[in-house]
Amino acid sequence: MRKSIFSIVLLLATVLGASAISVTTAPGELSKQVSDKNVTELIVTGSVDVRDFAFIADNLLSLSLLDMSGVEVEAYTC
């Protein structure tokens, strides 16, 4: 019984502590849209480029779900 209660409490803490956001962005602007670097679930729509992928890889280390199915990848030209 104690194990069950502990498991439920742990599950609730995990779920309530999860941070999920959905953003629509333009190329190179994802870092301005995502202020919480501890986000665990991110849904991105709009357009992105290599700068946005670098931001995700370098800063969003807690991600467990990344949905970019609604994204168009554009070429980056400096």
Side-chain angles (χ1 to χ4, degrees):
M1 180 71 174
R2 292 182 96 187
K3 287 183 182 181
S4 297
I5 293 173
F6 179 75
S7 297
I8 292 170
V9 170
L10 183 60
L11 178 63
L12 285 174
T14 302
V15 170
L16 294 176
S19 172
I21 60 172
S22 178
V23 297
T24 300
T25 190
E29 300 292 318
L30 187 61
S31 63
K32 295 176 184 174
Q33 300 288 328
V34 180
S35 58
D36 180 8
K37 302 270 177 27
N38 295 314
V39 64
T40 57
E41 297 181 8
L42 177 62
I43 301 168
V44 183
T45 56
S47 299
V48 297
D49 65 18
V50 69
R51 296 171 290 177
D52 301 308
F53 288 108
F55 169 74
I56 292 169
D58 295 341
N59 296 285
L60 305 182
L61 305 178
S62 298
L63 277 181
S64 60
L65 173 83
L66 175 60
D67 181 352
M68 297 183 79
S69 61
V71 163
E72 180 178 324
V73 178
E74 296 189 11
Y76 172 69
T77 55
C78 31

